Amino acid sequence: MAERITPRSESYSDWYVDIVLQAKLADYSPVKGCMVIRPRGYALWEHMQRAIDDMFKATGHVNAYFPLLIPESFIQREADHVEGFAPELAVVTHGGGEQLEEPLVVRPTSETIIWSMYKKWIQSYRDLPLLINQWANVMRWEKRTRLFLRTTEFLWQEGHTAHATAEEAREETLRMLEVYRRFAEDYMAMPVLTGLKTDAEKFAGAVETYSIEAMMQDRRALQSGTSHFLGQNFAKAFDVTFQTAEGSLDHVWASSWGVSTRLVGALIMTHSDDKGLVAPPRLAPTQVVTIPIFKNKNKTEVLAYADKLHRRLAERFRAEYDPDDANSPGWKFSEWEMLGVPVRVEVGPRDMENNTVVLARRDTGEKQSVDVEEAPEAVAALLEEIQSSLFARAKAFREENTREIDDYDELKAFFEADGGFAIAPWDGSPETEAQVKEETKATIRVLPEGNEKQAEGRTAIVSGKPARHMAVFAKAY
RNA sequence: CGGGCUGUAGCGCAGGGGCUAGCGCGCUCGGUUCGGGACCGAGAGGUCGGCGGUUCAAAUCCGCCCAGCCCGACCA
């Protein structure tokens, strides 16, 4: 079969690529590392965008748009920022047939251009807080790319906020981390761990970076969103000051936070199976597909029955209808399963006689027969049920593959075997972190909230010193 | 950016200096089918990844480049 999906057991990476291509989510472009997001993939992103954007608005943020091109000198203003991004910048050197006086960088992120503008817009504490988000594309010249997970150009949102105090900026950082957690769990049905990144893993230019981390089906961690407390780093680099109520002059405090089209990759790897994409109902491009099953002699009647049902469903759901007589029902079942549609409605002569329809759920394959009049209600209930059961299943999987490990040999063995998330006492030193990475390929994904307390009285792996943190180790994407 | 594998019709592949480049699936048209990837008949579809070289002759041999996948070093 030409359209076979490589089973996960055979090759997890091939499986992932097969799903992306065959569920028509994206395709390769002629330019290395770039991809075309196809309508079904883009629909997933649009539904994500809508939900996240609503959450931003509900927390007082407004959208704006800053330009793609940034003067090269801007990137160089903040020392860590330059160092972090220099190797992955795309630079425009020519325009209008002439060499530019100053090269322009294609934004890898927009802190610098945004803070250059904030300098103009902020004078007084009355101008604060400034809570701006933008939806944009960015470009990072990655060495090794993977569809959705790491592409040269990707779509994301980046929030950039300015505050009068460090406390406020910190609160904002954590508030947005929590927004991401809620989005991941409520919409993507993807359980995530939240916590602080170590210095080795934090964003170039941040004082502190927090992230949400999800476990994929191959037990590797995927960083799915980040929120940074920037301190006064960019305010100082761009000299953004404000006058306080008391009349003194102070640098502004900042946060920035983002999620990207990488979330589409996260969604795929969290739920899908060997038959194709499994999309959580709240984000699925199509939520319910109606497939009529007819013979030539009853075609007209069945199509009328199915079409009427489809139209009722379309009033409430993102619904599609597949009456094509070129393919058999069985073929359509497989096809729509590959595309990840959560609920399939089958209607044939037998259903017509009994005034029923058959509902099949994508996640388990289970079928049930329901009264045709109650079909929309039943579909609604089933979508809810699938949404929560996907979350429960993903969470159970993560828990089964999460272990608390005190002993370094055991940690090594853990990552030599199936791996997963290992929660281990850590002495807080970059050296031991690097050694673990060197010897196991696992890195510290996050330091969860309250981890310092849990580490009290314990002995750190590797060094044997008193532990300062309980760290979550995992192999990461 | 290093190591490995790959690139021939939309997809999966065969062919490996010589005459008109094949097969399966898909696609188009006509007909029969239809409750888990149906069938018959007729058709359309190829700069053999690109550029250059060797040769009377290159999909085939050689060089360079491009792209994809895997494994490493760097990253959302």
Side-chain angles (χ1 to χ4, degrees), chain A residues 61-83:
Chain A
H61 302 84
V62 291
N63 285 330
Y65 185 79
F66 295 83
L68 174 71
L69 298 175
I70 300 176
E72 195 177 41
S73 57
F74 278 28
I75 302 285
Q76 291 162 353
R77 294 271 196 100
E78 211 283 334
D80 292 332
H81 202 61
V82 196
E83 209 178 309

Side-chain angles (χ1 to χ4, degrees), chain A residues 50 74 78 113 130 146 170 190 207 251 264 282 289 312 351 368 375 377 411 449 465:
Chain A
R50 188 167 311 158
F74 278 28
E78 211 283 334
I113 191 142
L130 189 55
R146 280 155 82 58
R170 250 182 239 281
M190 180 175 80
V207 174
H251 281 108
V264 177
R282 296 183 79 173
V289 59
R312 282 174 61 215
D351 303 294
Q368 53 174 300
E377 272 311 307
L411 189 83
E449 200 188 342
K465 291 180 186 163

Side-chain angles (χ1 to χ4, degrees), chain A residues 182-195:
Chain A
R182 262 175 45 220
F183 170 75
E185 300 196 344
D186 294 353
Y187 288 84
M188 297 178 66
M190 180 175 80
V192 292
L193 296 181
T194 61

Side-chain angles (χ1 to χ4, degrees), chain A residues 214-232:
Chain A
M215 184 188 286
M216 303 293 101
Q217 292 181 58
D218 61 354
R219 300 176 185 79
R220 288 169 70 177
L222 184 72
Q223 179 173 310
S224 307
T226 51
S227 187
H228 315 287
F229 171 63
L230 301 175
Q232 294 173 309

Side-chain angles (χ1 to χ4, degrees), chain A residues 27-328:
Chain A
D27 207 345
Y28 293 106
S29 85
V31 179
K32 179 176 183 146
C34 293
M35 69 171 178
V36 177
I37 303 177
R38 300 181 65 178
R40 300 197 73 84
Y42 201 77
L44 275 173
W45 178 238
E46 283 182 309
H47 294 136
M48 289 177 174
Q49 273 187 304
R50 188 167 311 158
I52 297 169
D53 200 62
D54 286 349
M55 292 166 95
F56 291 165
K57 301 286 167 58
T59 42
H61 302 84
V62 291
N63 285 330
Y65 185 79
F66 295 83
L68 174 71
L69 298 175
I70 300 176
E72 195 177 41
S73 57
F74 278 28
I75 302 285
Q76 291 162 353
R77 294 271 196 100
E78 211 283 334
D80 292 332
H81 202 61
V82 196
E83 209 178 309
F85 283 108
E88 46 189 74
L89 293 178
V91 183
V92 179
T93 56
H94 290 73
E98 288 176 31
Q99 182 155 3
L100 302 176
E101 268 184 44
E102 180 182 354
L104 299 170
V105 163
V106 179
R107 65 181 161 218
T109 178
S110 304
E111 272 78 5
T112 57
I113 191 142
I114 287 178
W115 280 87
S116 75
M117 299 310 295
Y118 281 6
K119 177 179 170 59
K120 293 172 72 173
W121 299 342
I122 298 170
Q123 279 95 41
S124 150
Y125 72 95
R126 294 179 201 276
D127 298 323
L128 299 172
L130 189 55
L131 308 174
I132 295 181
N133 175 67
Q134 84 164 339
W135 291 94
N137 58 338
V138 288
M139 183 163 273
R140 298 179 188 177
W141 217 260
E142 300 290 351
K143 310 275 185 194
R144 190 176 168 189
T145 57
R146 280 155 82 58
L147 294 165
F148 287 113
L149 299 175
R150 179 170 297 105
T151 46
T152 299
E153 180 189 8
F154 57 96
L155 305 183
W156 77 345
Q157 62 62 220
E158 44 181 326
H160 297 274
T161 68
H163 307 264
T165 65
E167 293 65 41
E168 249 188 66
R170 250 182 239 281
E171 268 172 41
E172 171 77 0
T173 307
L174 293 172
R175 179 181 305 118
M176 300 323 285
L177 183 71
E178 176 62 12
V179 162
Y180 289 155
R181 188 195 62 76
R182 262 175 45 220
F183 170 75
E185 300 196 344
D186 294 353
Y187 288 84
M188 297 178 66
M190 180 175 80
V192 292
L193 296 181
T194 61
L196 185 66
K197 285 290 195 185
T198 62
D199 283 352
E201 300 276 331
K202 79 175 186 200
F203 169 69
V207 174
E208 288 166 357
T209 289
Y210 295 83
S211 77
I212 57 171
E213 300 275 335
M215 184 188 286
M216 303 293 101
Q217 292 181 58
D218 61 354
R219 300 176 185 79
R220 288 169 70 177
L222 184 72
Q223 179 173 310
S224 307
T226 51
S227 187
H228 315 287
F229 171 63
L230 301 175
Q232 294 173 309
N233 290 353
F234 286 92
K236 284 179 177 166
F238 287 88
D239 191 31
V240 184
T241 56
F242 71 104
Q243 199 157 25
T244 64
E246 294 75 39
S248 64
L249 215 53
D250 197 4
H251 281 108
V252 170
W253 298 83
S255 86
S256 73
W257 25 272
V259 293
S260 72
T261 37
R262 174 181 254 199
L263 288 178
V264 177
L267 183 150
I268 295 165
M269 286 200 291
T270 301
H271 301 302
S272 302
D273 60 25
D274 291 348
K275 292 174 166 181
L277 179 69
V278 174
R282 296 183 79 173
L283 299 174
T286 305
Q287 295 171 309
V288 52
V289 59
T290 300
I291 299 180
I293 297 158
F294 51 81
K295 300 185 188 301
N296 264 346
K297 57 187 176 207
N298 57 25
K299 184 171 174 179
T300 316
E301 296 78 10
V302 172
L303 286 183
Y305 184 83
D307 180 68
K308 188 176 158 201
L309 174 66
H310 162 67
R311 273 191 275 194
R312 282 174 61 215
L313 293 172
E315 287 169 14
R316 278 182 71 169
F317 311 106
R318 296 189 287 272
E320 291 206 53
Y321 180 47
D322 188 359
D324 188 354
D325 66 359
N327 296 312
S328 69

